[in-house]
Amino acid sequence: MMQTRRVVLLGLPGSGKGTQAPRIAALLRAPLVSVGELLRAEVAVGTGLGVRVGDLMAAGDLVPDELVCSVVLSRLAGEADYVLDGFPRTVAQAEALWASAARPTLALEFVASAAVVARRLRARGRDDDAPDAVDRRLAIYRDECEPVALWFALSDLLECVDG
């Protein structure tokens, strides 16, 4: 029996996850699920969820765990393999993913300095990459998201790569 390839990508916003995600997905022949793209699509269409999360995303805030877990776990239902970009961002999200039928087999953390990612983010030009939002996203990452890498390390699933 072939082992599933369920990979989550971790790292600071702008660390290279979104750039490398399609390459990793192609290499593994697994569907790429970008949570940011899923949520931005909801905002663009103006769904109820999009209305609820649009302002949060523009400000650089994390979408509440219960909302993003619902979207992601629903999207992953039935997927044997995946490359997941942008989730989990909190330990609660990691625990929800771990408890689901879509339990990951590997977490890749893209490591890059805050100065490098701040420069990259400011150059992208998305609404959630405005200078104030970038500073907020980096602060939130340190507080909320860095513990996720430790959580995966303690689960013996974490590999670090140069972002």
Side-chain angles (χ1 to χ4, degrees), residues 107-162:
L108 292 176
E109 181 182 21
F110 287 74
V111 180
S113 73
V116 166
V117 299
R119 187 189 70 223
R120 289 177 183 169
L121 292 174
R122 289 184 177 111
R124 284 198 312 203
R126 290 191 333 219
D127 288 345
D128 57 341
D129 291 333
D132 289 345
V134 167
D135 293 342
R136 178 136 177 81
R137 289 171 69 196
L138 295 178
I140 288 172
Y141 185 86
R142 283 188 301 276
D143 295 341
E144 298 285 336
C145 304
E146 279 183 357
V148 174
L150 176 60
W151 190 91
F152 278 106
L154 293 172
S155 301
D156 205 27
L157 295 177
L158 184 69
E159 296 289 335
C160 295
V161 295
D162 184 357

Side-chain angles (χ1 to χ4, degrees), residues 62-128:
L62 291 179
V63 175
D65 289 341
E66 64 277 359
L67 291 177
V68 75
C69 284
S70 172
V71 169
V72 171
L73 296 178
S74 173
R75 170 60 184 83
L76 294 179
E79 293 286 3
D81 302 320
Y82 61 76
V83 174
L84 187 53
D85 177 13
F87 183 91
R89 295 249 173 115
T90 67
V91 171
Q93 292 174 13
E95 290 171 342
L97 182 60
W98 188 258
S100 76
R103 178 182 286 193
T105 56
L106 175 66
L108 292 176
E109 181 182 21
F110 287 74
V111 180
S113 73
V116 166
V117 299
R119 187 189 70 223
R120 289 177 183 169
L121 292 174
R122 289 184 177 111
R124 284 198 312 203
R126 290 191 333 219
D127 288 345
D128 57 341

Side-chain angles (χ1 to χ4, degrees), residues 14-84:
S15 64
K17 299 181 307 290
T19 300
Q20 297 303 321
R23 294 175 180 147
I24 295 167
L27 180 69
L28 298 177
R29 295 187 180 111
L32 172 60
V33 178
S34 169
V35 176
E37 288 180 15
L38 287 174
L39 294 174
R40 283 189 291 276
E42 295 287 331
V43 171
V45 174
T47 65
L49 173 65
V51 170
R52 293 173 68 186
V53 303
D55 290 338
L56 292 171
M57 292 173 61
D61 291 330
L62 291 179
V63 175
D65 289 341
E66 64 277 359
L67 291 177
V68 75
C69 284
S70 172
V71 169
V72 171
L73 296 178
S74 173
R75 170 60 184 83
L76 294 179
E79 293 286 3
D81 302 320
Y82 61 76
V83 174
L84 187 53

